Amino acid sequence: MTGVSTQENGDGDPRRAIELLWGISPPPRRGPKPKLATADVVRAAVALADAEDLDAVTIRRVAEQLSVSPMSLYTYVPGRAELLDLMTDHVHGELTDPEEGLGWRAALTAVAEDQWALLHRHPWLLQVPTGRPPLGPNSFAKYERELRAVEGIGLGDVEMDAVAGLVTGLVRTTARSSLDNARLARTTGLTDAQWWERAWPVLAGIPAADAAHYPISSRVGQAAGAAHNAAENPAHAFRFGLARVLDGIEMLVLQRQQ
């Protein structure tokens, strides 16, 4: 995954982005009926990002996918920044509500698992900065689900917001590791186990790197490696970390009740 080298979301005109996100259309213009809808442009951009990465999403490339001229695409979106907002909000629409009647731990777990899966379907989301989120209906619904999971359990509003940020931050961090590992396996042609099989004999031949010098890391590393068949397991880290986050929230709630 490379960094975004062109205009990012949040850099564009927020008023026009919000109008597009909420489907507030400008006054109709005279002339031929447009060949496309804004939704067509967004779907084409998402498909391009899924197939390659976010750097591939340019006005020119999206226009090529739709068989139109780049200039004609500005009829639908003012620029790349607004397009990224639309793309992000569009895929947020894939997120679903937890089942009714779940306790707050199960509901928040369901929310986190849903986001973990979304990031694996659309890895480019990890390239989108989160400081200025798209102010669209699907992104509002995402935040609403996160807060609804802990509504009424004894947290203040600022704490509820912090919980939402803590959980989504954990999801993003561990999903990034998971996707990085998968990309390494693709580009090198080696699984983690195969990589370690090549590295270990070399390392074992270096006296200064033996267990006598690093007894704790040697013991723990071997145990973790045997458990995960790899140097790390991001899926385990995600679920272990989430459980510990939920434990901390539960402890805070219990303290408030005393």
Side-chain angles (χ1 to χ4, degrees):
M1 230 182 300
T2 57
V4 178
S5 58
T6 51
Q7 195 176 28
E8 297 179 348
N9 71 318
D11 288 347
D13 178 359
R15 178 173 181 176
R16 184 65 187 122
I18 291 170
E19 289 173 346
L20 288 166
L21 286 162
W22 291 89
I24 303 172
S25 303
R29 297 167 299 171
R30 294 181 179 181
K33 183 179 179 180
K35 296 179 181 179
L36 302 170
T38 302
D40 298 321
V41 178
V42 175
R43 283 192 291 268
V46 168
L48 187 58
D50 287 345
E52 300 183 35
D53 67 12
L54 205 57
D55 281 347
V57 179
T58 64
I59 296 297
R60 179 184 62 80
R61 288 291 307 280
V62 176
E64 288 175 357
Q65 300 299 308
L66 294 166
S67 300
V68 297
S69 70
M71 287 305 298
S72 68
L73 218 61
Y74 291 107
T75 304
Y76 308 97
V77 291
R80 188 175 188 272
E82 292 83 4
L83 179 56
L84 295 186
D85 277 347
L86 289 164
M87 291 167 61
T88 303
D89 194 71
H90 176 78
V91 297
H92 282 169
E94 298 176 18
L95 296 169
T96 58
D97 292 330
E99 294 179 15
E100 292 289 337
L102 295 178
W104 71 266
R105 283 187 69 119
L108 201 52
T109 297
V111 166
E113 292 278 2
D114 203 18
Q115 293 181 14
W116 167 270
L118 182 74
L119 291 173
H120 282 78
R121 290 196 301 273
H122 305 290
W124 55 267
L125 278 170
L126 291 171
Q127 295 175 260
V128 178
T130 59
R132 295 181 181 178
L135 303 177
N138 293 324
S139 300
F140 273 37
K142 171 183 176 293
Y143 185 46
E144 184 77 10
R145 289 185 191 97
E146 295 160 3
L147 298 176
R148 190 186 301 126
V150 292
E151 170 74 344
I153 69 171
L155 300 177
D157 287 351
V158 175
E159 291 171 331
M160 289 170 63
D161 175 76
V163 164
L166 187 61
V167 170
T168 57
L170 172 68
V171 174
R172 288 178 66 88
T173 299
T174 52
R176 189 184 301 279
S177 293
S178 175
L179 292 163
D180 283 347
N181 288 355
R183 185 171 57 257
L184 271 174
R186 288 194 305 271
T187 57
T188 64
L190 296 173
T191 64
D192 286 344
Q194 290 169 333
W195 174 84
W196 188 248
E197 286 174 1
R198 293 190 180 188
W200 175 248
V202 180
L203 195 62
I206 302 174
D210 65 12
H213 291 83
Y214 305 100
I216 301 173
S217 57
S218 178
R219 185 192 77 238
V220 172
Q222 288 183 23
H228 304 314
N229 199 31
E232 65 172 1
N233 185 332
H236 175 268
F238 159 56
R239 295 185 176 95
F240 179 85
L242 179 61
R244 303 294 74 76
V245 168
L246 298 181
D247 288 345
I249 296 168
E250 187 168 13
M251 182 62 68
L252 176 61
V253 172
L254 289 173
Q255 288 174 349
R256 294 285 171 78
Q257 294 171 352
Q258 294 175 356

